[in-house]
Amino acid sequence: MRYSAFSILKNAFSGNRDWAPMWREPQPKPHYDVIIVGGGGHGLATAYYLAKEHGITNVAVLEKSYLGSGNVGRNTTIVRSNYMLEGNEPFYELSMKLWEGLEQDFNYNAMMSQRGIINLFHSDGQRDAYARRGNSMRMHGIEAELLDREQVKKMIPYLNYDHARFPVLGGLLQRRAGTARHDAVAWGYGRGADQRGVDLIQQCEVTGIRRENGIVTGVETTKGFIGCNKLALAAAGNTSTVGRMADLQLPIESHVLQAFVTEGIKPAIDNVITYGAGHFYISQSDKGGLVFGANLDYYSSYAQRGNLETVEHTIEEGVSMIPGLSRVRVLRAWGGVMDMSMDGSPIIDRTAIDNLYLNCGWCYGGFKATPASGFCFAHLIARNEPHQVARLLRLDRFRRGFAIDEGGKGPQPNLH
Ligand SMILES: Cc1cc2nc3c(=O)[nH]c(=O)nc-3n(C[C@H](O)[C@H](O)[C@H](O)COP(=O)(O)OP(=O)(O)OC[C@H]3O[C@@H](n4cnc5c(N)ncnc54)[C@H](O)[C@@H]3O)c2cc1C
């Protein structure tokens, strides 16, 4: 599907009934060079970059539901690269650079909005930690500004500055961070991959992984067996169940994370704001709804819905930070299943099975990673060697004890 001023005009006069679908609905071929399991942001971006950067187009993306039905269409849309540790920093900065040119690249409006993110701090210790993070970012060429209380107050006057337990002392600002429309990212990558010949096969669940003489020869699916030379897993919250089909035991747990949207109100929140006294983040969508989320529901689950205890906890945190939030009505809430790794950082790697590739461990932060994840995973699949910026995001770091523990939480995925 291509857009032009002419097609918009023509459809305006014909009741918008003549738009062609954005991608084909192909039946699976018997064999592909590469099969990608998971039609989320990462699977679709991988297919897109495999075709665009490496000329590998005999590719299928197998999605058990519809494209974008997973976390890519369920997240709170925050994109940023304000990381500190060596394994994460260059990777997320590559992602940010790709975000900045993404809409021109795949010729689709993903509503990328670099409105800035402010991470609030509420104690001297937290200020030190944020100063260290900001300095590390600046040393690596990523802009960051440490704001004092008055500077924050000028930008976001409606916070609860004098909260008795959690006074706002300042914030760390990354101006290039912001939000993007999550489902449009999936559609843009999907359309771009389809235009280059990739088969996007929906309602096709992978139920088994077939191996002969130790290597993967294809997958059993609800549409029959499909052969492949290389198999790439990008199943996010379902990583461990899909991995088990190839006897992989992975350092991943699946937990629910909820998101919330309020009724539309007049423009009020210009930036993305995160609460340092808890784990609450909020922005305002272009339609006017306030979009926010907080912590995981603290139990493992594959259900894309959460429970009321976390709803209450989330709203409490929100109202502590912005008292006026108590006057806005929540319209919708939903959950997604997070692939929580043991150090809070992702994995993009080959597995012990030569032609089986793994992309997982995205925790809360995989939406912002989508472009770099697809770019680096495609590089790995095409060349059999890690991309430079993803070279530390390896599976064996857990065996070797080289965790990339940005949160400093240890091997407890529910705390990352
Ligand atoms: C509520 C919430 C808020 C979040 N907020 C943010 C945020 O603000 N910023 C940020 O950076 N990140 C955020 N995230 C995280 C981010 O959304 C995820 O890390 C990221 O989307 C995961 O990658 P993905 O898009 O490929 O996953 P998904 O979209 O989940 O894709 C995986 C796909 O695999 C499919 N699949 C699974 N098993 C099979 C199978 N057997 N056969 C075929 N297909 C299969 C699933 O149906 C799914 O479509 C949030 C997540 C949630 C749930």
Side-chain angles (χ1 to χ4, degrees), residues 230-276:
K230 294 182 175 183
L231 181 64
L233 308 183
N238 288 275
T239 294
S240 29
T241 42
V242 177
R244 245 192 326 269
M245 295 173 195
D247 298 323
L248 294 182
Q249 271 199 334
L250 299 170
I252 299 290
E253 284 183 13
S254 296
H255 290 258
V256 179
L257 178 67
Q258 300 191 56
F260 304 82
V261 174
T262 71
E263 60 189 326
I265 58 172
K266 286 185 180 173
I269 299 187
D270 294 335
N271 321 92
V272 180
I273 313 169
T274 73
Y275 192 40

Side-chain angles (χ1 to χ4, degrees), residues 38 40-42 63-64 70-72 75-76 78 206 236 364-368:
H42 295 229
E63 168 52 48
K64 69 175 176 174
N71 294 340
V72 69
N75 60 68
T76 41
I78 302 167
V206 171
Y364 294 81
F367 179 61
K368 72 176 101 71

Side-chain angles (χ1 to χ4, degrees), residues 37-44 62-80 204-207 234-239 241-242 245 256-259 281 304 334-339 359 362-370:
V37 182
H42 295 229
L44 294 168
L62 308 184
E63 168 52 48
K64 69 175 176 174
S65 181
Y66 58 90
L67 297 186
S69 55
N71 294 340
V72 69
R74 294 170 176 272
N75 60 68
T76 41
T77 77
I78 302 167
V79 303
R80 58 185 173 87
C204 181
E205 178 169 359
V206 171
T207 53
N238 288 275
T239 294
T241 42
V242 177
M245 295 173 195
V256 179
L257 178 67
Q258 300 191 56
Y281 34 93
Q304 290 174 315
W334 60 85
V337 185
M338 319 303 310
D339 38 330
N359 174 315
W362 296 103
C363 305
Y364 294 81
F367 179 61
K368 72 176 101 71
T370 306

Side-chain angles (χ1 to χ4, degrees), residues 337-358:
V337 185
M338 319 303 310
D339 38 330
M340 302 301 296
S341 66
M342 296 294 146
D343 61 359
S345 293
I347 298 160
I348 301 178
D349 206 356
R350 296 169 65 177
T351 67
I353 303 168
D354 256 0
N355 58 344
L356 180 60
Y357 301 80
L358 182 65

Side-chain angles (χ1 to χ4, degrees), residues 1-8 19 22 107-108 191:
M1 175 76 246
R2 288 187 176 278
Y3 301 105
S4 65
F6 176 72
S7 64
I8 292 170
W19 291 110
M22 291 228 291
N107 188 25
Y108 199 82
R191 187 184 71 149

Side-chain angles (χ1 to χ4, degrees), residues 36-267:
I36 298 167
V37 182
H42 295 229
L44 294 168
T46 304
Y48 175 81
Y49 291 118
L50 270 175
K52 180 169 176 277
E53 301 294 325
H54 305 280
I56 300 174
T57 56
N58 186 21
V59 176
V61 178
L62 308 184
E63 168 52 48
K64 69 175 176 174
S65 181
Y66 58 90
L67 297 186
S69 55
N71 294 340
V72 69
R74 294 170 176 272
N75 60 68
T76 41
T77 77
I78 302 167
V79 303
R80 58 185 173 87
S81 62
N82 53 0
Y83 282 80
M84 189 175 89
L85 297 186
E86 197 190 345
N88 284 329
E89 204 166 55
F91 174 79
Y92 284 102
E93 180 55 12
L94 170 68
S95 213
M96 184 54 82
K97 292 211 169 86
L98 290 169
W99 278 114
E100 286 171 331
L102 187 62
E103 290 165 310
Q104 287 72 23
D105 185 42
F106 64 23
N107 188 25
Y108 199 82
N109 181 6
M111 295 167 76
M112 176 66 184
S113 164
Q114 291 181 282
R115 57 186 67 182
I117 187 168
I118 302 176
N119 305 123
L120 301 174
F121 55 79
H122 310 263
S123 69
D124 292 344
Q126 208 171 22
R127 179 182 24 229
D128 290 351
Y130 282 12
R132 201 177 313 130
R133 174 143 55 114
N135 286 337
S136 166
M137 289 166 64
R138 289 162 68 135
M139 280 165 59
H140 289 89
I142 306 166
E143 46 80 40
E145 293 166 51
L146 195 68
L147 306 179
D148 63 24
R149 178 185 158 95
E150 291 314 309
Q151 286 169 304
V152 174
K153 213 168 188 174
K154 217 167 154 193
M155 289 179 76
I156 34 180
Y158 43 81
L159 300 182
N160 187 358
Y161 284 91
D162 299 312
H163 192 293
R165 285 182 70 193
F166 311 118
V168 176
L169 301 186
L172 182 67
L173 169 65
Q174 185 187 22
R175 289 188 194 270
R176 286 163 62 233
T179 57
R181 179 167 169 179
H182 49 194
D183 39 15
V185 174
W187 300 333
Y189 274 126
R191 187 184 71 149
D194 173 85
Q195 282 171 346
R196 288 168 174 81
V198 172
D199 284 354
L200 308 178
I201 302 169
Q202 305 183 73
Q203 308 299 337
C204 181
E205 178 169 359
V206 171
T207 53
I209 295 177
R210 198 183 283 182
R211 280 180 288 164
E212 282 167 28
N213 301 324
I215 64 161
V216 173
T217 53
V219 286
E220 314 289 348
T221 79
T222 45
K223 294 192 186 227
F225 175 78
I226 312 174
C228 64
N229 296 337
K230 294 182 175 183
L231 181 64
L233 308 183
N238 288 275
T239 294
S240 29
T241 42
V242 177
R244 245 192 326 269
M245 295 173 195
D247 298 323
L248 294 182
Q249 271 199 334
L250 299 170
I252 299 290
E253 284 183 13
S254 296
H255 290 258
V256 179
L257 178 67
Q258 300 191 56
F260 304 82
V261 174
T262 71
E263 60 189 326
I265 58 172
K266 286 185 180 173

